[in-house]
Amino acid sequence: MSDATAVGGGIGVAPYAELTFDADGDVDPGTQDAVSALEATDLLVFAHGWNSDRSTSTRLFDRFYAPFPGLVGPGVRLGYVGVVWPSIRFSDEPIPDFDPHGALAEPGHGTALDPATLRALGEFWPGRVAELDRVAELLEERPESPAAFTEFGALVRELAGVDGVDAVDGVDAADGVDAADGVDAVDAFGAAGAVGAAAAPPAVPAVPAIFAEDVLEVCRALTEGLAEAGGPPGGAAGPAFSLGGGLRALWSGAKELLRQATYYQMKKRAGVVGECGLGPVLAELAGRRPALRIHLIGHSFGARVVSFSLRAVPDGARYVKSATLLQGAFSHYSFADRLPHDKSSGGALRGMQRKVDGPVVACHSPYDSALKVFYPLASRMAGDSAGLLGLDERWGAIGHDGVQAVSGAPRLTLDAALRAGVPQAGCVSVDTGSVVRRGGPPSGAHSDICHEELARLVVAAGRMGR
């Protein structure tokens, strides 16, 4: 890797470096050295989310970091880090204020995979060209045939690695899921991962229901979810999308099932990168530079990355000074000591807020359709046999309604948080819907995070202001 790549050319703030990890959480040594060389009193460490390729991530870091130099006090020397990890972007999903990325599918035919997305899928699932070409063919042709849906479902299962029971055992080791809690661990966006005091793997490995149930019923449920979210991307809403349009209409749900397969793998990857990659790298850095103050920032799955990095913070260490979670794509119960529906279990990150010498700020917005609609839908589809719809609070995302079931965690509006500040420690939920509100279907405002108000919130959480 060249020095130019390591430091991340094109970023308007300085000093800046990118910290790059592979899917197993192994860090690129050159990028680790570049981060170690940053001269700063306070290090901002920002992990991107799921809907990112390399160029999109770099632009996101540039846009989000832009306001910071003018917000901090004179005694603060900021260093900026962009955490880059293997993600994937469906380029037909809009990101507010960013230039269009790739060609959108034709209006009225939004199930087709555009070339940029197909290339990204090929990189995400290397060696699967034949399977992906057939998936793309089916999504473009949309045959009105149950057999075609069956074939599509089998292809997606194979791509997701759930054809063999060893591939998915109902327990994510990174989450430590209690078998009795079911399948919080295997939702599309990264669910609670409820941890029991005596958690044990299920006796019989199980494939998540989203991949195991009748594919037509799954596609129908996902199509209904798209309708609730305002229609699929690419302008496919309309008569062809009507639920009365026969089997042809359900190919919108089939495309969403393909997205869920990528989310399913990225969810697990985010936990691994955080706990096994980012966390140890930051611990080593803090050991060599004990005066350095580290501030974690994560968007979507990136919020999961930085949150799981807290598992690698040594007991008693105080180098992480704040954590700001932007539209976090994991369970709102993750930090809970006890789950409301299972008092014997707690969240995957229970007590981890105490690893932060400052607040853990969970930003949430009611305009985030990805977390409002698809997160709970996919969570229940992962293993709730009571039905695919009829969502309830058990399956909520922290980026939709904030931290839940954590005693003493206040809930603030963005205006109140900026005016009066946030608590000096513990979890706090901040409703950022006053600014995080723009974006088209199916994700809504999920990626609408580049606002000075959110930068000011990070500064307030880290006690870095003027």
Side-chain angles (χ1 to χ4, degrees), residues 52-68:
S52 298
D53 55 20
R54 186 59 176 265
S55 64
T56 304
S57 300
T58 300
R59 287 185 294 160
L60 175 64
F61 299 145
D62 182 44
R63 288 283 306 282
F64 188 81
Y65 278 148
F68 280 87

Side-chain angles (χ1 to χ4, degrees), residues 275-288:
E275 184 172 3
C276 303
L278 179 61
V281 166
L282 294 179
E284 180 182 344
L285 176 62
R288 286 187 282 109

Side-chain angles (χ1 to χ4, degrees), residues 301-320:
F301 273 142
R304 182 179 174 86
V305 170
V306 299
S307 295
F308 272 77
S309 77
L310 296 175
R311 285 182 160 183
V313 175
D315 291 340
R318 312 306 292 168
Y319 57 85
V320 178

Side-chain angles (χ1 to χ4, degrees), residues 48 65 72 76 91 123 259 280 385:
H48 66 75
Y65 278 148
V72 298
V76 175
S91 58
E123 295 173 1
R259 293 181 204 269
S385 60

Side-chain angles (χ1 to χ4, degrees), residues 176-237:
V177 173
D178 187 336
D181 185 64
V183 290
D184 269 346
V186 289
D187 63 82
F189 276 94
V195 179
V204 179
V207 171
I210 192 171
F211 302 120
E213 296 297 325
D214 179 82
V215 67
L216 278 174
E217 290 306 309
V218 170
C219 290
R220 184 176 301 277
L222 290 171
T223 301
E224 291 173 357
L226 284 166
E228 182 179 347

Side-chain angles (χ1 to χ4, degrees), residues 50 88 90 93 121 124-125 152 156-157 159-160 162 186-190 208 210-211 218-219 221-223 225-226 252-268 301 369-371 373-382 442-443:
W50 58 265
I88 186 172
F90 275 71
E93 295 189 26
L121 288 169
F124 190 71
W125 284 310
F152 184 87
V156 170
R157 280 171 54 97
L159 289 169
V162 298
V186 289
D187 63 82
F189 276 94
I210 192 171
F211 302 120
V218 170
C219 290
L222 290 171
T223 301
L226 284 166
S252 292
K255 185 176 184 180
E256 187 59 34
L257 178 60
L258 180 64
R259 293 181 204 269
Q260 301 298 338
T262 66
Y263 300 158
Y264 169 75
Q265 291 199 331
M266 281 188 292
K267 170 260 174 182
K268 294 190 293 182
F301 273 142
S369 301
L371 301 184
V373 177
F374 288 102
Y375 178 91
L377 173 62
S379 297
R380 287 193 60 146
M381 289 175 73
S443 297

